[in-house]
Amino acid sequence: MTTSDHSPASTAAQETGDDPDTAAADKPAPQPAEPAAPQIAYDFDNGNFIRDLITTNADGQFPAEDSIGPTDAPIYIWISHLFMMSWFDALAPYHPTAVGVCSRIARRPASESATNRNKNIAGLYASLRVLQSVYKERSVVMGQALGLFGLDPDDESEDPTTPIGIGNIAGKAIVKARVRDGMNHLGDMGRTFNREPFEDYTGYEPVNTPRKLVNPSRWQPAVHRHRRRLGDGPGDRGIFVAQQFITPQVRLVKPFTYSDPGEFELAPPDHTDHTDADRYKKSVDEILAASAGLTDEQKVKAEFFDHTGAAITLAPRAAALAHDLDLDGWAQLFMVTSLARFDDMIAAWHQIHRYDAVRPFSAVRHVYGGSKVTAWGGAGLGTVDDIPAEEWSGYLPPGDHPEYPAGFATICAAQAQAARRFLGDDVLDWTFPYAGGSTLTEPGLVPAKDLELHYATWTDYERDYAHSRVWAGVHFRETVERSLPFGAQFGDRAHEFVQRHIKGDVED
């Protein structure tokens, strides 16, 4: 029995009058399917996404900071806090008692946390949703990474019974709660057109100009060479820019553990009150003595602690490893230290704005004018005993905000205290290697040979952090000494806040 040929080629030939065999021959050969995206094996059941995937690439070396550099640290801390909160909220439904900070997702059966699989997946999706909203540049890379692990970054389901849904709910809840918290992430506060994310909307104006010191007790914006990126060397030749107070609106950001940053007292910076000439000069002389006596180790520490990503946000990683924490412990430690940094930063910026205090470079020039001083003379020059005071500069550029308190010394102290409270001891056990000649300030020269920084305790770490700001020539000695106890109180507050959420002792 014969049958009609109803193949596509035959049908097309009948409609056009062409020979079926000829039509089939003229039809392009089917193209092979696109190869599947390469997959990377990852042990979701036993792995730890924070340890293995999020922080591991920065361990032992400075992470790249193309978009966020050390002088943008308030922005770095704001973004990283949202990121780390998302981990806590995403894992909370798998914990016996924990409750999220910005989300209230129903608790999952204990069987779903028998391994780390669901928690790892939820944490990764929460991270991605935060990054997509507040740091789009990095979210693309993270989305690609999820694809390599066999996860679909475009799956935005919000099913609270699945790890993907839980992660999406948690991440989006964090963003919704904080996107208009006063940081001006959207750049629309005070603007309708041409939005500028994180721009100041408070109208701050310095008393002093970059070229004229009208009030020697108040902050003067520094002038420096323009640099396109961290590590670009000396910068664009002939192009100089003046500082602006970075994100003065931080003092208006909504905190978690208190209502008003003005409730925390800090004595005025009387050591840099120019009407007390003797005390003012003493503060300046302490800076010059530190500058003149710099060792390779002090120079390395000055640079190390100037790098926010490494010096601040990677310290909890070292502590988590030293204490062999499980995945929940990692998420909780990062949450409590991040919260301590965040709430401290708001209170510190309140005081920084309030006192608007002078930086060392301005004070040195005010005290000594055209006279010569002994100090570090610049890259490759070592200590010089006849530097004109008006040419003196610290080992590192001054931060782009007023001097008092030392913002990141207070942040370091807050984090250290939060970690001590959470871990129940002072152990840090962090080793950080430095290759010879690897500093950015004196490349090829400092350190003269390989050296290794080791911090056995959080106390050692925070003390060196504070001292390094004096060695760098960016903060006065009395400033950093007062900054540590100011910061520690926010570590206590963060610990108590996070413990309430871990125990589920919070209101709905």
Side-chain angles (χ1 to χ4, degrees):
M1 181 174 68
T2 61
T3 59
S4 299
D5 182 0
H6 296 294
S7 68
S10 175
T11 302
Q14 291 171 5
E15 291 174 352
T16 62
D18 292 336
D19 180 86
D21 292 336
T22 303
D26 290 343
K27 184 179 180 180
Q31 298 298 310
E34 289 291 327
Q39 298 293 299
I40 296 177
Y42 180 67
D43 186 354
F44 280 93
D45 289 318
N46 299 299
N48 175 332
F49 78 99
I50 304 173
R51 180 194 64 206
D52 305 333
L53 305 177
I54 302 293
T55 64
T56 186
N57 289 336
D59 188 33
Q61 60 181 345
F62 283 135
E65 293 196 37
D66 293 342
S67 299
I68 295 184
T71 55
D72 303 325
I75 301 172
Y76 182 99
I77 288 174
W78 186 84
I79 291 175
S80 65
H81 182 53
L82 270 61
F83 198 46
M84 294 170 190
M85 275 201 301
S86 77
W87 305 342
F88 184 88
D89 274 32
L91 270 59
Y94 297 105
H95 187 275
T97 58
V99 174
V101 175
C102 296
S103 60
R104 293 291 187 270
I105 305 171
R107 199 163 313 286
R108 302 304 304 153
S111 60
E112 294 186 12
S113 56
T115 73
N116 286 345
R117 174 171 293 274
N118 291 324
K119 291 187 278 190
N120 277 317
I121 293 173
L124 287 171
Y125 273 88
S127 302
L128 179 60
R129 299 308 166 218
V130 169
L131 287 184
Q132 287 176 329
S133 295
V134 303
Y135 201 176
K136 293 181 180 179
E137 304 94 316
R138 296 284 174 91
S139 69
V140 174
V141 175
M142 185 170 186
Q144 293 171 342
L146 262 63
L148 294 176
F149 296 131
L151 301 173
D152 179 6
D154 297 323
D155 186 343
E156 297 200 35
S157 63
E158 296 186 22
D159 182 348
T161 67
T162 68
I164 294 175
I166 287 171
N168 287 334
I169 293 170
K172 292 177 182 180
I174 299 295
V175 172
K176 182 179 180 181
R178 303 307 300 187
V179 74
R180 290 196 176 277
D181 65 357
M183 192 64 176
N184 197 20
H185 161 64
L186 298 177
D188 61 353
M189 298 184 74
R191 277 180 177 263
T192 302
F193 307 102
N194 300 313
R195 296 178 178 183
E196 292 289 347
F198 301 108
E199 183 185 36
D200 173 33
Y201 56 85
T202 68
Y204 170 85
E205 292 286 346
V207 170
N208 299 303
T209 71
R211 299 295 183 185
K212 187 172 183 180
L213 190 68
V214 177
N215 185 335
S217 298
R218 302 284 291 276
W219 182 61
Q220 179 182 35
V223 175
H224 58 85
R225 288 182 183 173
H226 178 258
R227 285 189 174 125
R228 297 184 187 277
R229 295 188 309 172
L230 176 67
D232 269 357
D236 296 329
R237 303 292 181 179
I239 301 177
F240 293 83
V241 296
Q243 289 179 328
Q244 294 187 52
F245 186 167
I246 186 168
T247 56
Q249 73 270 21
V250 166
R251 72 187 193 279
L252 304 178
V253 171
K254 183 180 179 181
F256 288 85
T257 64
Y258 56 88
S259 299
D260 179 8
E263 69 184 78
F264 305 101
E265 288 300 318
L266 181 66
D270 42 11
H271 55 291
T272 55
D273 178 353
H274 74 283
T275 63
D276 186 343
D278 289 342
R279 192 167 183 187
Y280 190 96
K281 181 176 180 297
K282 178 185 176 186
S283 294
V284 166
D285 288 343
E286 289 170 345
I287 282 288
L288 291 173
S291 178
L294 286 174
T295 65
D296 270 18
E297 184 174 354
Q298 289 173 337
K299 292 176 179 179
V300 164
K301 288 178 177 179
E303 278 203 7
F304 174 71
F305 285 117
D306 201 51
H307 194 291
T308 310
I312 291 182
T313 57
L314 286 182
R317 172 183 170 82
L321 290 170
H323 290 81
D324 194 25
L325 299 182
D326 61 12
L327 178 53
D328 284 329
W330 277 72
Q332 292 165 10
L333 176 61
F334 272 82
M335 172 64 197
V336 73
T337 52
S338 176
L339 177 58
R341 295 192 300 263
F342 188 88
D343 272 11
D344 170 87
M345 176 181 71
I346 296 167
W349 250 246
H350 172 85
Q351 301 291 353
I352 286 169
H353 177 269
R354 173 187 180 187
Y355 290 119
D356 197 42
V358 66
R359 286 276 180 174
F361 79 91
S362 301
V364 167
R365 296 169 189 178
H366 172 69
V367 169
Y368 286 101
S371 301
K372 294 184 177 181
V373 298
T374 300
W376 179 72
L381 296 178
T383 300
V384 179
D385 60 7
D386 58 354
I387 301 173
E390 60 233 0
E391 296 181 23
W392 178 84
S393 177
Y395 191 74
L396 297 178
D400 39 12
H401 55 81
E403 192 267 349
Y404 184 83
F408 298 105
T410 74
I411 288 168
C412 179
Q415 168 170 270
Q417 180 64 5
R420 281 190 289 258
R421 291 288 305 277
F422 177 79
L423 296 168
D425 60 41
D426 197 25
V427 174
L428 176 57
D429 192 20
W430 190 12
T431 298
F432 203 98
Y434 257 88
S438 63
T439 58
L440 296 176
T441 304
E442 297 181 282
L445 299 173
V446 176
K449 59 183 180 181
D450 294 353
L451 63 80
E452 195 172 72
L453 303 183
H454 178 70
Y455 291 103
T457 67
W458 284 99
T459 298
D460 294 338
Y461 161 83
E462 65 180 334
R463 285 176 180 168
D464 257 12
Y465 197 116
H467 292 153
S468 77
R469 312 313 287 157
V470 180
W471 301 330
V474 298
H475 282 293
F476 296 100
R477 178 186 60 80
E478 284 194 58
T479 294
V480 299
E481 289 178 354
R482 295 182 188 183
S483 297
L484 294 181
F486 181 81
Q489 61 189 315
F490 299 98
D492 290 323
R493 285 177 169 270
H495 173 72
E496 291 155 8
F497 179 94
V498 172
Q499 284 302 307
R500 288 196 296 272
H501 281 78
I502 292 173
K503 296 174 182 176
D505 186 18
V506 294
E507 296 181 0
D508 291 334

